[in-house]
Amino acid sequence: MKELRLEELYALFPGDEPPSHEVIRGDEVPEPYRGLLVHEHHMTVTVEAYHGGPVDVRVLDRRQDGSEYARKILLVHQATGKVVQFGIMRIDLDLTSPPVREAIVAERTPLGRILIEHDVLRRIEPVAFVRIHPGPVQLARFSMAGPRPLYGRLAFIHVDEKPAVELLEVVAP
């Protein structure tokens, strides 16, 4: 299994420098972030349960090179408009069915919801947790008044036991 690094995912989108951060163990992630991140479930479902309602995806940037599709996104609570998660994902579209591929590139639905609705056999494998020291971009993205640590995870989503998706998921403070 290849290593997954925050810098590698940020490098997909030049101009958005990776924030200062350190890799930490799951047991070092404080609550409520631990409950939001340290598990093997889809973040879409987790943040919807935590924030009490459905979320929409807002695509900030995307790129596609053949079957490799990547996007930088925000998940936004439908009722409040509050940003609940930032993410970067790289997807091997060859490992998805045509209907799933079409839904992903349509950019209207969060990835977790797509995989659930299409009943895709999948396994989520968190491989690292990160404590992020937000800079101006992260402060603005989450509408933060001042700096305080953000927490996230790096994970693979395996489709039919093949690593189809690489993810960085950072939850709102």
Side-chain angles (χ1 to χ4, degrees), residues 44 47-55 77-79:
T44 304
V47 296
E48 286 178 341
Y50 183 80
H51 291 282
V55 296
H77 191 272
Q78 278 183 6

Side-chain angles (χ1 to χ4, degrees), residues 27-156:
D27 63 4
E28 295 177 290
V29 178
E31 290 295 354
Y33 306 103
R34 183 179 305 156
L36 288 166
L37 295 164
V38 185
H39 56 78
E40 295 178 351
H41 308 291
H42 282 289
M43 288 300 294
T44 304
V45 173
T46 303
V47 296
E48 286 178 341
Y50 183 80
H51 291 282
V55 296
D56 291 322
V57 65
R58 184 181 309 154
V59 178
L60 303 173
D61 201 356
R62 90 264 309 135
R63 59 177 282 180
Q64 188 168 354
D65 183 12
S67 67
E68 181 182 287
Y69 170 82
R71 67 185 184 194
K72 180 169 43 171
I73 61 105
L74 298 174
L75 291 183
V76 180
H77 191 272
Q78 278 183 6
T80 65
K82 178 183 185 232
V83 173
V84 298
Q85 182 183 307
F86 166 77
I88 298 175
M89 63 194 64
R90 177 170 37 200
I91 305 165
D92 182 346
L93 295 173
D94 282 344
L95 297 177
T96 63
S97 70
V100 169
R101 189 175 312 126
E102 185 177 304
I104 290 169
V105 299
E107 300 180 344
R108 290 188 295 270
T109 307
L111 179 65
R113 177 80 43 234
I114 292 168
L115 298 177
I116 291 165
E117 287 176 356
H118 288 268
D119 200 24
V120 173
L121 179 62
R122 66 208 172 273
R123 178 173 60 88
I124 297 150
E125 178 192 15
V127 293
F129 301 94
V130 290
R131 178 184 301 118
I132 295 171
H133 307 284
V137 171
Q138 292 79 34
L139 292 173
R141 212 169 258 151
F142 286 113
S143 302
M144 295 170 66
R148 64 183 197 256
L150 295 170
Y151 294 89
R153 73 178 185 177
L154 293 159
F156 289 103

